Amino acid sequence: MHSSCCLSVFSGDPLSFHSGVEFDLNVNNVVGIRNTFLLRTYAYIEKRVRPIILVIKKWARHHGINDASRGTLSSYSLVLLVLHYLQTLPEPVIPCLQKAYPESFNPSMDIHLVPNGPRDIPPYTSKNDSTLGDLLLGFLKYYSTVFNWEKSMISVREAKALPRPNYKDWKNKYICVEEPFERSNTARAVHEKMKFDTIKAEFMESWQLLQAKKDLNFILPVRATIQKR
């Protein structure tokens, strides 16, 4: 029997890390290894995936909704929110890798073979030519006005919103995001209505601001961040 431990997030100094790079550290977390290669492949097959995820994580952190230890969204849940949105557009930006390449992401694959699973998956050519700005605005709009938080579960594994399961992990939870391999709820940390309402309000306010102003600085002070550096 293996113990499972996930330590996150490292940033900055105690051990003389001066790069400012943040990362998650997984120890004996088999699911963490599987989903790392799944997410890495999504970032590889479509060049817009990585930058849109980075911007949305910075936006969420700036607005105080990217910290599972404080009852908001983990970075992993945020990434799954982004992938789900990109999969479910009328003209998808990315496919469902687990459906298109089931043998590469088989949840029962020996863990030592996982890194080789997606090795031969080619880049994806999407007919959706939306800019990063368009996708950011659409992401905020989708979770503000389209996605049904009360009745639906986000599933990257199925590339669609599914009805909420009637299991312990999902009952009475404010946000339901399916882990693509383990099928648990990655957003179970959001267990207070006040935090859930805050998350929804940040999506709505940022969508309305960005739609009206057409300037990222109104929802994420990029220039101020650059000046501080």
Side-chain angles (χ1 to χ4, degrees):
M1 185 171 173
H2 295 287
S3 62
S4 174
C5 177
C6 178
L7 304 176
S8 76
V9 173
F10 284 80
S11 119
D13 202 335
L15 298 176
S16 298
F17 292 125
H18 296 293
S19 67
V21 174
E22 295 187 351
F23 57 91
D24 293 337
L25 175 64
N26 288 307
V27 180
N28 290 337
N29 183 351
V30 173
V31 174
I33 295 171
R34 295 188 194 282
N35 64 47
T36 292
F37 282 93
L38 177 66
L39 301 188
R40 192 175 80 169
T41 307
Y42 274 116
Y44 163 74
I45 63 168
E46 223 296 336
K47 64 182 180 181
R48 289 169 289 182
V49 171
R50 191 185 303 271
I52 194 69
I53 286 174
L54 289 174
V55 169
I56 288 168
K57 284 172 71 174
K58 283 191 173 295
W59 164 80
R61 184 159 302 171
H62 176 71
H63 290 273
I65 59 170
N66 177 206
D67 189 345
S69 70
R70 295 175 182 268
T72 59
L73 293 163
S74 67
S75 291
Y76 184 36
S77 292
L78 271 171
V79 171
L80 294 177
L81 260 66
V82 177
L83 296 180
H84 166 76
Y85 164 69
L86 297 177
Q87 288 176 327
T88 56
L89 287 163
E91 196 64 69
V93 172
I94 54 173
C96 177
L97 287 176
Q98 286 168 283
K99 281 186 172 182
Y101 304 96
E103 69 289 346
S104 297
F105 301 102
N106 186 335
S108 60
M109 181 188 293
D110 187 286
I111 197 64
H112 301 294
L113 301 177
V114 168
N116 295 324
R119 180 171 288 176
D120 297 323
I121 296 176
Y124 179 71
T125 303
S126 172
K127 295 178 182 177
N128 186 322
D129 60 359
S130 298
T131 65
L132 290 173
D134 293 333
L135 293 175
L136 175 59
L137 185 62
F139 170 83
L140 295 171
K141 179 181 180 181
Y142 177 74
Y143 288 110
S144 297
T145 66
V146 178
F147 183 76
N148 190 326
W149 297 99
E150 285 72 31
K151 295 182 179 179
S152 299
M153 170 184 79
I154 288 164
S155 177
V156 169
R157 175 181 59 89
E158 290 288 336
K160 60 184 177 182
L162 299 175
R164 286 184 176 223
N166 195 27
Y167 306 137
K168 181 182 178 182
D169 233 15
W170 309 94
K171 258 186 173 181
N172 304 317
K173 296 296 187 293
Y174 292 105
I175 299 179
C176 292
V177 182
E178 182 193 58
E179 207 292 319
F181 294 99
E182 203 174 50
R183 303 192 190 180
S184 57
N185 183 9
T186 70
R188 58 189 175 273
V190 186
H191 59 269
E192 296 178 15
K193 187 176 186 303
M194 183 180 71
K195 296 293 178 70
F196 174 53
D197 289 342
T198 297
I199 291 168
K200 289 197 299 180
E202 293 296 349
F203 272 99
M204 179 64 76
E205 184 179 346
S206 290
W207 168 56
Q208 291 173 338
L209 262 176
L210 191 58
Q211 185 180 44
K213 304 295 186 181
K214 302 292 190 292
D215 185 345
L216 182 61
N217 283 280
F218 281 91
I219 66 168
L220 179 62
V222 179
R223 291 174 190 148
T225 303
I226 293 171
Q227 286 169 0
K228 283 179 184 177
R229 290 180 183 175

